[in-house]
């Protein structure tokens, strides 16, 4: 996308977020539901297809462009972004990065338009951080596979038309090499979705278990057509997803800072606005500094990703720093609001709970630390890196 069109798109989204979505935040949290007209508006704006190439009906943005839009989306409740987030990221990217031409033709236009929602099904009850130990089985029988197992906490599962599913095809290989990625249609006989989970926050976004009981999947639905590549596909998808989530954290931090500054200027104690107190100013300054640092590092890593560099380590640095950063910013925002920050009528109370998730999914903070340190040590061994 040329620079001018991107800037127009960003400004349109910014206005939409602030004028249409922010006033709906409380309703979405109370009803645990994003209204249908918002889904239609997202589809009209092309948001389901941000990352999908134009030839398949998407906006065709590269990651450097995508993060600029996601900074804007972060300003409002994450439940809104979650509606199209899995189509832009973890649900579609496996097909886009590693899929066959036929798989791309068949699914990407439907994902780009929002006609079909895609979910990413990796986590299981006994396989979270250690995702490579997953136990869902896919056994080849003639021209199809039979899938048995259960997935846990799958975002958008209750709304999904397809799942990008990671399952073990080689029972003799208990590690990453035995895993294959599949496209599984949600209406396949034997596939059932659990009740939506009752979460700490992000009401309006839904996760659920997905159970596979002898689900038949055609062999042509193996992503890329080759067994044993699924874990690699999942990791490529997550590198990209981590930068997307990091950008969302920056947007949320900006909103929390905005709420903090507004409140600090209005609230008076000891005869003056609390914004005049240097101890309050210190909290504001720390939040601004950290949000700015995260934005810069994400832009740098996303630009390098878009230029074709491997930024797996940097993506983890960004996700780790930005998700921890927004946790600190949310904590300061509550502190600046005093007792009011503990009350549901203030947005910061909701954001405080909503942003907690960012340190947990798409790899916990500890998993990001492990990824970063492992690559540092690998670089030291080979003499690469600076
Ligand atoms: C709201 C929500 C949405 C989600 N959406 C999806 C989705 O769409 N698709 C999907 O596949 N998954 C999804 N997940 C799952 C998510 O990715 C996992 O919850 C996450 O990876 C952590 O796994 P776990 O919950 O099993 O925690 P565990 O792996 O059990 O971790 C528990 C604790 O142990 C720590 N730990 C684990 N291993 C190590 C280690 N080697 N060294 C140090 N510390 C370690 C962890 O950091 C954590 O603090 C979602 C989760 C939530 C809560």
């Amino acid at each position: 996308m040329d620079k001018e069109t991107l800037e127009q798109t960003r400004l349109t989204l910014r206005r939409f977020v602030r004028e249409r979505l922010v006033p709906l935040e409380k309703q979405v949290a109370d009803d645990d539901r994003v209204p249908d007209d918002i889904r239609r508006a997202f589809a009209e704006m092309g948001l389901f297809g941000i990352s999908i190439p134009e030839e398949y009906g998407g906006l065709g943005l590269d990651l450097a462009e995508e993060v600029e839009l996601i900074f804007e989306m972060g300003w409002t409740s994450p439940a809104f972004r979650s509606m199209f987030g899995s189509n832009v990221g973890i649900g579609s990217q496996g097909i886009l990065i590693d899929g066959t031409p036929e798989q791309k033709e068949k699914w990407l236009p439907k994902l780009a338009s929002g006609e079909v929602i895609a979910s990413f099904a990796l986590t299981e009850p006994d396989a979270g951080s250690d995702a490579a130990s997953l136990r869902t089985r896919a056994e080849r029988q003639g021209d199809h596979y039979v899938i048995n197992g259960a997935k846990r906490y799958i975002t958008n599962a209750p709304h999904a038309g397809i799942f990008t599913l990671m399952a073990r095809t080689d029972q003799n290989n208990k590690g990453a090499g035995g895993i294959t990625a599949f496209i599984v249609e949600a209406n396949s006989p034997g596939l059932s979705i659990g009740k939506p989970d009752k979460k700490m926050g992000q009401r309006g976004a839904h996760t659920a278990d997905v159970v596979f009981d002898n689900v038949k999947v055609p062999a042509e639905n193996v992503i890329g057509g080759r067994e044993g590549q699924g874990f690699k596909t999942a990791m490529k998808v997550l590198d990209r997803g981590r930068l997307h989530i990091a950008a969302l954290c920056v947007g949320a931090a900006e909103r929390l800072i905005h709420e903090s500054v507004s409140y600090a200027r209005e609230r008076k104690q000891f005869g003056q606005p609390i914004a005049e107190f240097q101890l309050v100013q210190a909290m504001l300054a720390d939040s601004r500094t950290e949000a700015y640092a995260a934005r810069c590092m994400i832009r740098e890593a996303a630009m390098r990703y878009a230029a074709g560099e491997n930024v797996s380590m940097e993506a983890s640095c960004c996700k780790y720093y930005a998700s921890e950063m927004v946790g600190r910013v949310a904590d300061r925002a509550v502190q600046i609001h005093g007792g009011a920050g503990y009350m549901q009528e203030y947005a910061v109370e909701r954001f405080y709970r909503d942003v907690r998730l960012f340190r947990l999914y798409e790899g916990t903070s500890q998993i990001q630390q492990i990824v970063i340190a492992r690559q540092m040590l690998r670089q030291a061994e080979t003499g690469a890196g600076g």
Side-chain angles (χ1 to χ4, degrees):
M1 189 177 273
D2 66 72
K3 249 186 160 169
E4 210 172 292
T5 318
L6 177 66
E7 185 57 7
Q8 281 303 329
T9 310
R10 189 183 72 79
L11 292 174
T12 306
L13 180 61
R14 185 186 181 92
R15 253 197 323 275
F16 185 78
V17 163
R18 290 168 195 224
E19 289 169 14
R20 290 281 306 280
L21 302 185
V22 170
L24 284 174
E25 287 174 355
K26 199 172 167 326
Q27 179 193 321
V28 165
D30 289 346
D31 299 352
D32 194 16
R33 186 165 196 282
V34 174
D36 291 340
D37 61 326
I38 297 299
R39 179 178 170 163
R40 281 194 292 275
F42 284 157
E44 272 163 31
M45 290 164 83
L47 296 180
F48 286 91
I50 289 178
S51 59
I52 296 174
E54 285 171 286
E55 58 179 305
Y56 300 111
L59 294 183
L61 300 196
D62 68 24
L63 190 59
E65 295 165 335
E66 178 179 323
V67 297
E68 297 299 328
L69 298 192
I70 302 306
F71 289 146
E72 298 297 339
M73 271 315 292
W75 183 268
T76 189
S77 296
F80 290 115
R81 194 258 3 161
S82 185
M83 176 156 264
F84 61 82
S86 53
N87 277 33
V88 171
I90 55 178
S92 70
Q93 289 296 314
I95 302 173
L96 187 57
I97 298 171
D98 283 340
T100 62
E102 295 75 28
Q103 290 165 349
K104 292 182 194 184
E105 285 296 334
K106 181 165 180 191
W107 293 110
L108 293 179
K110 291 184 178 139
L111 299 182
S113 68
E115 181 190 335
V116 171
I117 300 286
S119 281
F120 177 78
L122 176 66
T123 305
E124 298 181 354
D126 292 321
S129 297
D130 185 11
S133 71
L134 65 81
R135 292 212 292 255
T136 295
R137 297 162 71 98
E139 277 174 85
R140 176 115 198 192
Q141 292 183 4
D143 61 355
H144 62 268
Y145 288 81
V146 176
I147 300 188
N148 281 289
K151 295 288 173 178
R152 178 140 291 173
Y153 307 148
I154 304 306
T155 299
N156 279 337
H159 315 293
I162 58 168
F163 292 90
T164 299
L165 171 78
M166 264 50 69
R168 190 167 304 283
T169 41
D170 182 352
Q171 307 311 321
N172 298 320
N173 184 340
K174 299 290 176 212
I179 297 171
T180 299
F182 293 87
I183 301 165
V184 183
E185 296 191 41
N187 59 8
S188 307
L191 189 156
S192 57
I193 312 287
K195 278 198 187 137
D197 299 312
K198 292 186 176 156
K199 311 192 305 315
M200 176 191 287
Q202 301 211 4
R203 283 172 60 83
H206 306 121
T207 63
D209 282 4
V210 185
V211 177
F212 299 84
D213 180 11
N214 286 319
V215 175
K216 271 174 83 171
V217 176
E220 71 212 32
N221 284 21
V222 168
I223 293 184
R226 281 172 60 210
E227 286 189 8
Q229 300 300 307
F231 197 73
K232 280 192 199 141
T233 299
M235 292 305 113
K236 286 185 224 169
V237 166
L238 287 175
D239 273 356
R240 200 177 187 292
R242 284 167 181 167
L243 283 164
H244 178 109
I245 296 297
L248 195 62
C249 293
V250 169
E254 293 296 348
R255 171 67 181 282
L256 286 156
I257 292 168
H258 168 78
E259 297 291 338
S260 302
V261 171
S262 305
Y263 189 83
R265 291 177 69 223
E266 271 166 28
R267 174 73 178 165
K268 288 201 175 90
Q269 284 297 283
F270 301 97
Q272 54 182 308
I274 60 166
E276 303 289 327
F277 299 122
Q278 289 186 340
L279 292 175
V280 172
Q281 291 177 359
M283 286 193 271
L284 294 175
D286 283 355
S287 292
R288 163 54 59 236
T289 304
E290 291 190 87
Y292 180 45
R295 183 184 292 262
C296 292
M297 69 198 283
I298 292 162
R299 280 190 170 141
E300 202 262 352
M303 255 156 47
R304 285 169 55 190
Y305 181 98
E309 274 187 57
N310 179 348
V311 293
S312 183
M313 179 176 75
E314 290 79 0
S316 282
C317 293
C318 290
K319 202 276 184 173
Y320 175 43
Y321 181 75
S323 62
E324 295 280 336
M325 175 280 292
V326 75
R328 291 190 293 272
V329 170
D331 192 65
R332 289 184 203 114
V334 169
Q335 197 66 19
I336 289 168
H337 279 68
Y342 204 67
M343 299 297 153
Q344 289 192 355
E345 62 192 283
Y346 290 88
V348 296
E349 184 273 342
R350 192 179 57 246
F351 268 85
Y352 180 81
R353 287 181 287 109
D354 284 353
V355 302
R356 188 63 185 83
L357 177 59
F358 298 136
R359 283 183 262 170
L360 299 171
Y361 72 176
E362 300 206 19
T364 64
S365 289
Q366 290 69 40
I367 293 305
Q368 308 306 333
Q369 287 176 301
I370 289 169
V371 171
I372 296 162
R374 203 182 279 155
Q375 296 206 30
M376 289 168 69
L377 297 174
R378 205 176 294 147
Q379 285 178 356
E381 218 166 84
T382 60

